[in-house]
Structure formats: C-alpha cells, structure tokens
Amino acid sequence: MSTPAYGPLLGLAEEVAREAGALVLRRRDERTITVAATKSSPTDVVTESDQASERLIRTRLLTARPDDGFLGEEEGASVAGSSGVVWVVDPIDGTVNYLYGIPAYAVSVAAVVDDQPVVGVVHVPATGETWTAQRGGGAHLDGRPVAVSDCGELAQALVGTGFGYAAQRRAVQAAVVARLLPRVRDVRRMGAASIDLCQVATGRLDGYYEQGLAPWDRAAGGLVAVEAGALVGGLGEAPASERMTVAAGPALYPLLQELLAELGA
Ligand code: LIP
C-alpha cells in the first residue's frame, strides 16, 4: 500500500474518533459516568462510557470496512479480518482522568498493517485537540505539522512517564522514577499514554517512557511521535512493547534509553 492509499483510512479514523469523543464528552458533561467493571486492580476501572465508545467505534469502522480486523481495549478478544488492516483502539485512554473530570483523556484509533501502524488519530474531547498521522505523511495537530524538540541533554529534558495499576509494578516504577528525577529537568505524569506520546511529537515533552503499555495505548500515539521525528522503541534494540516503551527526539533518545537501563527499568 503506498502512502496516499492511507488517506481514506485516516479520514475514517478521524471521523470515528471525533464521534466517540463527542459521546464520552456528553456523558461527562451530563455526569452519567458509571463504573461498569474493574480489571487488573480495584482502581483499574472500566466505565460504561468506555464500553459505549468502543461499541460505537467498532460498529462504525466495521460497517464501513467489514473485512477489517479489530482489537479494542475493553472487549479484549480481537477480530482477525481478511483485508490485512486491523484497527487498534483505546475508546478512552486515561479512564481515571475521565472519571475524575481531569481533561487529559483521549480516544485513540490506529490502523495497523503487517503489525505496523499506518494511520493514527489521538483525539482529546475535552480540549478538542486532535493529532493525526499516516505513515510517511508526517504528524499534525489540528491540521498543523508538529515536530519533536531538539533537546539533547538529560539535565534539560522534561520527561513524561506513567504507572501501572498493580502495586508490585508501581513499586518498581517508583524506584526508577525516584532515581531518574534528579537527573532530568522534571517529570510529568499526565495519565494517558497516547497523549504523552503526542506531547513528545509536539515538543511539549522531550521524552517519555513507560512500562506496561498495551498495543492500544501506544499504536496511534506511537505513529504520531515517529512521524513527528521521534524514535520510539524499547530498551536497547528491542521494539516498543509491554516491557518498555521509550519515545524521544533523536538527540535525547539514546541518552534516555541508557539512563533507564542503568536504573534497572
Ligand atoms: C492508562 C495509560 C497510562 C497509564 C495508566 C493507564 P487507561 O490507560 O494510558 O499511560 O499510566 O495507568 O494504564 O487504562 O486509562 O486506558
């Protein structure tokens, strides 16, 4: 598939992400937010809005493109499809922010071909900001091109991170961040990985790392970051995975990776 062929996928992804965003924002404004279930811990919640958003996205995408596959955060099980395109979706990334009315939550929609995201949309309903990217076509925020920062010094770097829900994982993450904090400008924990990756893409963060990300947390935001000039991977030569996701501009990336390895992340 050549780059222009992704245009229709990007248009559909953006349309559907905005529709789902309007749904979750309306429910937030009406304060009709109900916790439907918990997942990995009692604080890892799924609201009825997560479920409604995923249903809307899945129905809209698979009605438009019935042969595509689908992997969403809330239903877990994936639909394989036969077209070679798989949609990877987080219906609300930053659910705890959503629950508390903190605006840092997003609808994240990616189209993946051969295990590589080719289209990514991260829409933040509360602010209206929408990042879009297609492979080889650059990254945009509300239609304007974005680029990573040129920061090449850890001591000057503003670094984002996040923490999992399980207490044991948090203990390890806390130990790493405690030793990282004195080595960088400062640390931000905003609570939605897709937005963090887009902040790197926009130069609002110089770097970002997190353990425990699922494909739907990083698919769309990771493509936005790469298309804005970031390097995105794991530790060493490993690709980004649940084990570790690191994102930064090319000057900072190896320094951040080395620091994380030194700290035993
Ligand atoms: C969230 C991630 C975030 C992480 C949170 C949570 P969710 O995803 O995007 O980076 O630190 O603990 O996992 O659960 O809101 O979709």
Side-chain angles (χ1 to χ4, degrees), residues 119-169:
V119 153
V121 174
V122 176
H123 172 58
V124 182
T127 63
E129 287 193 315
T130 306
W131 282 268
T132 54
Q134 59 176 308
R135 187 158 293 281
H140 297 83
L141 166 57
D142 297 334
R144 290 183 301 278
V146 289
V148 293
S149 81
D150 59 6
C151 177
E153 208 185 323
L154 281 169
Q156 292 293 323
L158 186 61
V159 176
T161 191
F163 309 121
Y165 292 104
Q168 213 177 353
R169 170 165 272 158

Side-chain angles (χ1 to χ4, degrees), residues 203-221:
R204 295 176 183 170
L205 287 176
D206 298 304
Y208 164 75
Y209 74 95
E210 185 163 348
Q211 279 182 314
L213 295 188
W216 44 79
D217 292 315
R218 61 173 191 270

Side-chain angles (χ1 to χ4, degrees), residues 3-236:
T3 299
Y6 300 139
L9 292 182
L10 183 59
L12 177 63
E14 186 172 355
E15 194 181 304
V16 172
R18 285 180 184 280
E19 264 182 52
L23 172 95
V24 302
L25 190 60
R26 192 171 58 245
R27 283 169 163 252
R28 177 69 240 169
D29 288 346
E30 290 166 355
R31 296 171 191 268
T32 51
I33 298 163
T34 313
V35 173
T38 58
K39 295 189 285 188
S40 60
S41 82
T43 53
D44 182 5
V45 297
V46 182
T47 69
E48 286 180 356
S49 302
D50 293 75
Q51 295 172 331
S53 174
E54 185 160 315
R55 273 196 304 274
L56 181 153
I57 295 168
R58 184 185 174 117
T59 304
R60 287 279 284 109
L61 291 176
L62 297 187
T63 301
R65 297 180 50 92
D67 297 331
D68 289 356
F70 186 90
L71 173 65
E73 176 176 21
E74 306 312 341
E75 290 199 11
S78 58
V79 175
S82 57
S83 67
V85 174
V86 179
W87 295 97
V88 179
V89 169
D90 194 337
I92 302 179
D93 184 30
T95 302
V96 173
N97 285 343
Y98 178 72
L99 191 63
Y100 279 75
I102 297 169
Y105 57 89
V107 178
S108 172
V109 178
V112 172
V113 173
D114 292 333
D115 283 331
Q116 297 298 321
V118 295
V119 153
V121 174
V122 176
H123 172 58
V124 182
T127 63
E129 287 193 315
T130 306
W131 282 268
T132 54
Q134 59 176 308
R135 187 158 293 281
H140 297 83
L141 166 57
D142 297 334
R144 290 183 301 278
V146 289
V148 293
S149 81
D150 59 6
C151 177
E153 208 185 323
L154 281 169
Q156 292 293 323
L158 186 61
V159 176
T161 191
F163 309 121
Y165 292 104
Q168 213 177 353
R169 170 165 272 158
R170 289 181 157 235
V172 176
Q173 290 171 325
V176 171
V177 81
R179 292 172 63 212
L180 179 126
L181 185 55
R183 308 275 292 271
V184 299
R185 178 193 292 268
D186 209 341
V187 167
R188 294 288 181 271
R189 194 289 197 246
M190 288 179 261
S194 60
I195 301 179
D196 289 328
L197 288 160
C198 290
Q199 304 292 25
V200 172
T202 313
R204 295 176 183 170
L205 287 176
D206 298 304
Y208 164 75
Y209 74 95
E210 185 163 348
Q211 279 182 314
L213 295 188
W216 44 79
D217 292 315
R218 61 173 191 270
L223 179 64
V224 171
V226 165
E227 288 297 326
L231 297 175
V232 178
L235 290 177

